[in-house]
Amino acid sequence: YQAIPGRRAESWQAAETFWEQIDQGWQHAWRAGPDTALDYYYAIRIFLERRSRHATHIEWVSALLGLPVAQISDKDRDPLLHNIGSVYSDLGEKQQALAYYEQALPLSRQVGDQSREATTLANMGSVYSALGEQPRALELYEQALPIYREVGNRFGEATALNNMGKVYRILGDTSHKELGIDLRILGKGGPKPPGGIMMIEQQPHIGAAGMPTGRGEPQLADDIVLVGQRVVGKTRDHRPIHGVG
């Protein structure tokens, strides 16, 4: 089913006509076992996001997270936690989103996924910014920035700097104007997010490499989408790289 929707909005809308089959496919995948269910989820995840099927998204991910530790690895659990956090953030349930991001962060570090670690930090920063806690948001962006630089993710670096600049402006600090990067330059031959990574926005968050989500309009490839100052670059989140975004 995931091959049918294209990049155009009407293609994703048309996919609604066979939603019943997609849902039945999940039931079959779930009965087939954890590996099949995970693969099916990652195949359909972008559709769930694009069509704002948040309840289904939460239901599927919650079921996967509820599997015994022996049936789902930390490498798979990490992006699932991030993805469900992004869904809750999209729903405006920021504290719930933060709770999942906080569970995902140590797993990202444990499995050595620095890109996801940086994106989780940045998404947490966006949540705190939305909650009005700008100093904490700035602290998290500052933690994410050197990690993005270390892994060579220039897109993440630019976005973190841009978000830092926005926080400084909210705080009334005009001494950091150089951080106010116009991210539209990234759509003209500039750095793109590496494969598996879904990037970011100040309002309200990032996605990652992979990841999640607000998240703007997900794409089927690592293209950059620009909606005013909201920037999201996205690829399919799939195992084993990501397994969110």
Side-chain angles (χ1 to χ4, degrees):
Y1 300 117
Q2 74 274 16
I4 296 176
R7 294 172 185 272
R8 297 178 180 177
E10 56 267 27
S11 298
W12 292 90
Q13 293 166 3
E16 290 284 356
T17 62
F18 53 85
W19 168 250
E20 184 177 348
Q21 293 97 310
I22 293 176
D23 189 49
Q24 290 174 355
W26 166 254
Q27 302 302 325
H28 288 300
W30 181 256
R31 288 193 292 270
D35 286 341
T36 303
L38 279 165
D39 288 339
Y40 190 83
Y41 163 70
Y42 285 120
I44 304 299
R45 187 186 63 80
I46 296 176
F47 173 82
L48 298 177
E49 291 183 350
R50 176 64 74 93
R51 300 303 300 158
S52 298
R53 286 189 169 269
H54 301 310
T56 299
H57 202 157
I58 290 171
E59 177 187 348
W60 289 11
V61 175
S62 296
L64 291 166
L65 288 172
L67 289 168
V69 174
Q71 294 183 14
I72 182 170
S73 69
D74 287 343
K75 192 170 185 178
D76 286 319
R77 193 177 297 275
D78 175 22
L80 291 172
L81 288 166
H82 190 105
N83 289 353
I84 196 171
S86 295
V87 174
Y88 277 111
S89 184
D90 289 342
L91 290 170
E93 299 184 33
K94 301 301 183 181
Q95 293 291 354
Q96 189 69 37
L98 190 60
Y100 281 109
Y101 289 147
E102 288 175 341
Q103 291 180 63
L105 184 59
L107 284 182
S108 296
R109 290 168 172 165
Q110 181 178 319
V111 301
D113 191 335
Q114 289 183 288
S115 291
R116 187 180 302 282
E117 176 187 355
T119 300
T120 303
L121 287 166
N123 278 356
M124 290 171 65
S126 292
V127 168
Y128 275 108
S129 182
L131 292 172
E133 299 185 37
Q134 305 307 330
R136 178 58 175 154
L138 185 60
E139 179 183 332
L140 289 161
Y141 291 143
E142 288 175 339
Q143 290 180 45
L145 182 59
I147 302 174
Y148 279 133
R149 286 172 171 165
E150 182 177 349
V151 299
N153 185 342
R154 293 181 61 213
F155 190 94
E157 177 184 352
T159 308
L161 287 168
N162 192 58
N163 286 354
M164 289 166 63
K166 290 179 179 179
V167 170
Y168 278 121
R169 288 196 294 277
I170 292 171
L171 293 172
D173 185 342
T174 60
S175 64
H176 298 273
K177 293 181 179 179
E178 74 279 2
L179 297 180
I181 300 169
D182 184 350
L183 295 181
R184 286 174 292 185
I185 62 173
L186 299 179
K188 301 178 180 180
K192 291 189 178 184
I197 297 206
M198 164 180 177
M199 297 308 314
I200 204 179
E201 0 146 355
Q202 167 65 13
Q203 327 120 326
H205 64 240
I206 304 183
M211 268 149 211
T213 216
R215 256 159 13 185
E217 293 291 321
Q219 300 297 296
L220 288 177
D222 58 341
D223 298 295
I224 291 177
V225 177
L226 300 154
V227 185
Q229 283 299 301
R230 298 181 66 196
V231 181
V232 179
K234 170 141 189 155
T235 65
R236 281 191 200 122
D237 278 354
H238 60 278
R239 302 159 65 222
I241 295 177
H242 176 176
V244 112

